[in-house]
Amino acid sequence: MLPSRTILWDIHEEHLDEAAFLWGQWERAMNAANYTLDEVIDGPEGRLRAHLDALVLGSKPVAEKLLIPALADDDEGKVTTAAWVLLHAEDADHLDLVFDALVKAEKKEARAALARAFELAERPELADRLRPRLEGSVPPVQAMIVNVLGARVAPVPSGQSPAWGFAIEAFLESRHQDLLLAALRALCRAPDPVCTRLVEKPLASPYVEIRDAAIEAGIRLGMPAARTACSKLVARNAAGSRFPLAVLATGGEPVDVAAIIRKLDVESMRRDALWALGFAGTVQAAEAVLAWIGDDVVDKVAGEAFAAMTGVRIAGPLAEVGQTDNGPPSESEGDDDVPLPVILPEDNLPVPNTERLFAWWNKAGARFAPDARYLYGQPRSPEVLRGALSSGPMWRRRAWNLELAARGQRGVDIGTWACRQRT
């Protein structure tokens, strides 16, 4: 008889704590300005998955002592970690237990954390196990199931309807925000011309996530109304217009680029307009962005957008020395009475050296044709777009992916693990 192995509980507890922390790091990295896909895979995602795998190997004793109790923890990262590991257990089937925790969760944050584990689960039979639970579940649980099912719908040729396996049209008419959003996201992954008419109404939703998902679905379905909605939102300086600005910029129409440039004079729109102009790729857009380099508030965004168009690297002599926010926390950051600082995706970007970057443009600008569009200094094309999607910053990938779709090209599912996207 083989002796029972000793379980090093402190090691497994460390795996759980580290995974919980890294889950948040990974989620932020997936929309970061200073990470590429490979850097996410080699950085936070690689470390996160190593801790997840170690917890899976802990088997039933670790599940019973650490993971199942963690499903009720206040730390959302710990909840998602525990649920994901339990769903991938090799010596037991915990799906019913995790699903029951989702059904009984009282806080919205807890439901979202549990749902995220289901959405990122890699169990091949997950869709078949969840589909029968769709009917009769409450809307938040239905939304999770639709997210799982929608991510697994097989792609079909343009103009054809996917084999959904659930009533997507009914969910697109839902009044429940989470369920409508899940159905729109499914439609973004697998555009269905039969559902076109159902996208019109959510284009005018007051909820930014729903509206953005409807815009993306509309662009993928070739709906002119989607771009019209973007134009109207930008024209009235609507809050939450970051994605509509990007959609207009990726289209590259001179009238739209000019409209975005005018928004640089609107303080509430400036940061997002600068970021969006990085998708325009024209000399006019590059020079409009360049004019804001040197502004302490938006110079990092302006520099990155300028680089996205021209291909210049904001580093070495073209960057200011010691200007990124990577230093140790200040003494006040540990004070409970001091509000936490707002962390922006661009915070870790370098600050451009204004004088040297202007000098670079004075020399290099002549090689850019006024009537052409550029991406990292190359004439814009599907091939160049795919290269950017692979090696460009994470915070630009959604718009690039959508631009590929608008050009009739197949992109990737940017909502899943980075390693799966790379594959």
Side-chain angles (χ1 to χ4, degrees):
M1 182 176 179
L2 294 175
S4 60
R5 64 185 175 91
T6 301
I7 298 176
L8 303 176
W9 290 109
D10 56 336
I11 299 296
H12 288 291
E13 289 170 359
E14 184 177 352
H15 284 310
L16 179 57
D17 290 339
E18 286 294 312
F21 169 76
L22 285 166
W23 204 292
Q25 295 287 96
W26 175 78
E27 294 280 13
R28 286 187 288 275
M30 292 296 282
N31 190 41
N34 61 328
Y35 271 95
T36 65
L37 194 66
D38 284 340
E39 288 169 344
V40 172
I41 295 169
D42 294 337
E45 180 168 299
R47 296 195 299 274
L48 170 60
R49 290 184 68 103
H51 289 295
L52 294 176
D53 289 344
L55 288 167
V56 170
L57 291 174
S59 302
K60 191 175 180 179
V62 171
E64 292 179 345
K65 183 170 182 177
L66 296 181
L67 302 179
I68 294 174
L71 292 176
D73 201 276
D74 290 332
D75 183 336
E76 294 159 38
K78 192 170 287 188
V79 173
T80 309
T81 294
W84 192 93
V85 173
L86 288 168
L87 289 173
H88 293 82
E90 297 174 344
D91 62 342
D93 186 344
H94 299 294
L95 191 149
D96 290 342
L97 183 149
V98 179
F99 186 84
D100 189 54
L102 174 64
V103 170
K104 293 178 179 178
E106 296 180 357
K107 295 182 179 179
K108 183 177 181 180
E109 294 79 8
R111 288 199 303 269
L114 289 161
R116 189 63 170 143
F118 276 103
E119 291 164 16
L120 290 165
E122 297 169 324
R123 290 181 59 161
E125 82 286 10
L126 186 61
D128 291 337
R129 293 281 300 275
L130 291 178
R131 188 177 289 107
R133 304 169 192 240
L134 191 55
E135 187 176 353
S137 291
V138 295
V141 176
Q142 288 182 315
M144 178 278 290
I145 298 173
V146 170
N147 275 321
V148 171
L149 300 180
R152 288 160 173 77
V153 171
V156 297
S158 178
Q160 296 185 19
S161 293
W164 290 108
F166 60 96
I168 188 170
E169 292 182 66
F171 297 133
L172 286 169
E173 295 181 296
S174 174
R175 295 184 178 182
H176 193 280
Q177 296 173 40
D178 292 342
L179 190 48
L180 173 57
L181 180 60
L184 286 168
R185 286 174 173 168
L187 201 58
C188 290
R189 289 183 168 109
D192 186 347
V194 172
C195 299
T196 300
R197 63 180 178 82
L198 299 174
V199 179
E200 294 272 359
K201 185 176 179 180
L203 284 172
S205 172
Y207 302 102
V208 173
E209 271 194 301
I210 291 175
R211 189 181 68 205
D212 286 355
I215 289 170
E216 181 172 348
I219 296 295
R220 291 177 180 274
L221 287 166
M223 294 172 57
R227 291 194 186 276
T228 301
C230 292
S231 297
K232 290 179 178 179
L233 290 164
V234 170
R236 68 170 192 260
N237 301 334
S241 291
R242 183 180 180 85
F243 187 63
L245 282 162
V247 170
L248 292 180
T250 58
E253 293 296 330
V255 64
D256 291 331
V257 175
I260 298 170
I261 290 174
R262 287 196 296 273
K263 296 304 165 182
L264 297 178
D265 294 328
V266 182
E267 186 176 357
S268 63
M269 300 283 283
R270 186 173 301 141
R271 185 187 304 274
D272 291 341
L274 284 167
W275 173 77
L277 284 171
F279 298 107
T282 64
V283 169
Q284 181 190 22
E287 292 182 338
V289 166
L290 188 63
W292 287 92
I293 290 175
D295 182 287
D296 291 343
V297 177
V298 295
D299 52 3
K300 293 181 179 182
V301 179
E304 192 275 339
F306 186 76
M309 292 183 274
T310 64
V312 66
R313 187 164 178 264
I314 311 296
L318 294 181
E320 297 288 354
V321 177
Q323 293 295 313
T324 54
D325 297 334
N326 290 321
S330 64
E331 292 181 9
S332 63
E333 288 183 31
D335 189 341
D336 292 339
D337 295 329
V338 177
L340 292 173
V342 177
I343 300 174
L344 299 172
E346 67 267 21
D347 281 346
N348 288 325
L349 290 174
V351 175
N353 183 301
T354 307
E355 183 179 343
R356 289 175 176 172
L357 200 58
F358 272 85
W360 179 89
W361 181 245
N362 286 335
K363 290 182 179 180
R367 70 179 176 85
F368 292 87
D371 57 347
R373 297 180 66 202
Y374 295 90
L375 180 55
Y376 290 109
Q378 302 178 67
R380 212 173 190 88
S381 68
E383 292 72 27
V384 173
L385 271 168
R386 278 194 290 270
L389 193 62
S390 174
S391 60
M394 300 298 289
W395 73 343
R396 292 194 175 274
R397 296 180 75 246
R398 182 183 182 185
W400 283 332
N401 205 35
L402 184 56
E403 185 177 351
L404 276 172
R407 290 169 174 252
Q409 305 284 319
R410 187 175 174 184
V412 297
D413 179 2
I414 62 171
T416 189
W417 294 103
C419 58
R420 295 191 66 180
Q421 294 183 47
R422 168 59 70 197
T423 301

